[in-house]
Amino acid sequence: VKRIGILTSGGDAPGMNAAIRAVTRVALNSGIEVFGIYDGYKGMVEGYIEPLTKASVGEIIDRGGTILGSARLPEFKDIEVRKKAVSQLKKRGIEAVVVIGGDGSYRGALALTEMGINCIGLPGTIDNDITCTDFTIGFDTALTTIVEAVDKLRDTSSSHHRCSIVEVMGNRCGDLAIWAGIACGAEIVITSSTGFEEGEVLERLRDFDLIKKKRHAIVVISEKITDVHQFAKKVSLNTGFSGRATVLGHVQRGGSPTPSDRVLASRMGEKAVDLLMQGIGGQCVSIKDNQIISVPIEEALSMPRESRKRLLNLFERLV
Ligand code: ADP
């Protein structure tokens, strides 16, 4: 392979730039030319594609977001739209592409591979919602942001006998919530795996107040489970705590990537280039037991989500 492209797609994540840099530098050092495809599959279809040099990926390893931009293009499911993308690539002699994104982006990468453009997926998402990998690029940074925020909320909560209900991201994956719950010493964690029984949670909060005499309580809850502002009102009405909801929102997606995310992105970027050099496509890169491996995208997309029973069990033993 002589020329490859690289793009970022779907929701952005800190560490995507470190991955772009790694793919570009490893490829250039192996005698392969690299093209940046801007705004995800949208730029591929529209031909917004420019060469990347070692210098153009300099000074980006510490920057959040993605220098290539990201976009969503639902029409990419349409084969006619993908044909346009393939012809844009062929026109420039680009034979293979590294796609950094989530499972939606992986589907696009698989569809392109089936049309003769070898694609390798890298897991770029803060949600850690790609089952075939222990960690995604961006998860550690988002977790760090959450922990900093919850530590601050705890200070003010204990001054005011408050219950802070902190909604974190995860897109139906509870990993950010459970990891943050353990790291912050939260009182309660609610994810799609734990389920949400409102009455039971209120009962436990009364217990923390009356029996355990806690000065504050932190509840970490995944997004898309309940309206946390409504729930905070119920906490105020039904327990001795004054309930306050905080939705951390998009701050979780920003910031300079942590060293772990930068190193993970670099290791995964190297693997992607090595796979393309072997003529392999339709696979995604994962980290399993601290080994960088690759998994067929088709297999990756059909793996059931882990329930995180052991971590949830640990959390309960720490309360
Ligand atoms: P993420 O990659 O973060 O999961 P999306 O689900 O929005 O984000 O997917 C990103 C992009 O991937 C979509 O906007 C679309 O262009 C492309 N995509 C998603 N699903 C498919 C599919 N089944 N076939 C082809 N392309 C797809």
Side-chain angles (χ1 to χ4, degrees), residues 9-12 16 40-42 70-78 82 99-112 124-125 127 129-130 171 301:
S9 165
D12 68 342
M16 280 183 161
Y41 294 121
K42 187 165 172 280
S70 186
R72 292 202 157 90
L73 181 72
E75 301 82 19
F76 205 68
K77 288 175 191 155
D78 178 352
R82 288 202 303 277
V99 172
I100 309 169
D103 54 0
S105 305
Y106 279 14
R107 283 177 220 281
L110 184 59
L112 276 177
T125 164
D127 298 324
D129 60 344
I130 300 180
N171 187 31
L301 292 174

Side-chain angles (χ1 to χ4, degrees), residues 7 17 42 63 75 83 127 157 183 204 260 263 266-267 286 317:
L7 63 80
N17 282 328
K42 187 165 172 280
R63 278 164 60 190
E75 301 82 19
K83 278 184 187 163
D127 298 324
S157 292
R204 290 185 64 190
S260 286
V263 173
S266 302
R267 293 173 74 189
S286 302
R317 296 179 77 184

Side-chain angles (χ1 to χ4, degrees), residues 46-189:
E46 291 168 3
Y48 186 8
I49 300 170
E50 275 158 25
L52 291 176
T53 62
K54 282 192 191 176
S56 61
V57 296
E59 293 174 47
I60 66 168
I61 195 164
D62 58 337
R63 278 164 60 190
T66 158
I67 59 159
L68 294 176
S70 186
R72 292 202 157 90
L73 181 72
E75 301 82 19
F76 205 68
K77 288 175 191 155
D78 178 352
I79 187 153
E80 294 307 320
V81 174
R82 288 202 303 277
K83 278 184 187 163
K84 275 189 215 156
V86 170
S87 84
Q88 292 282 15
L89 296 175
K90 292 216 161 132
K91 208 157 70 182
R92 292 168 177 83
I94 299 170
E95 304 151 80
V97 178
V98 177
V99 172
I100 309 169
D103 54 0
S105 305
Y106 279 14
R107 283 177 220 281
L110 184 59
L112 276 177
T113 301
E114 284 161 359
M115 294 168 77
I117 303 287
N118 271 346
C119 290
I120 297 294
L122 293 188
T125 164
I126 65 163
D127 298 324
N128 218 34
D129 60 344
I130 300 180
T131 310
C132 67
T133 186
D134 290 342
F135 296 106
T136 57
I137 298 165
F139 175 73
D140 187 63
T141 305
L143 178 60
T144 302
T145 301
I146 294 168
V147 171
E148 282 170 9
V150 174
D151 286 349
K152 287 176 184 164
L153 283 168
R154 184 184 286 286
D155 292 343
T156 168
S157 292
S158 50
S159 314
H160 293 275
H161 200 63
R162 209 169 258 161
C163 168
S164 269
I165 298 133
V166 189
E167 184 187 282
V168 301
M169 286 183 145
N171 187 31
R172 301 186 196 287
C173 170
D175 286 6
L176 280 173
I178 180 67
W179 258 262
I182 291 172
C184 300
E187 276 63 38
I188 297 177
V189 163

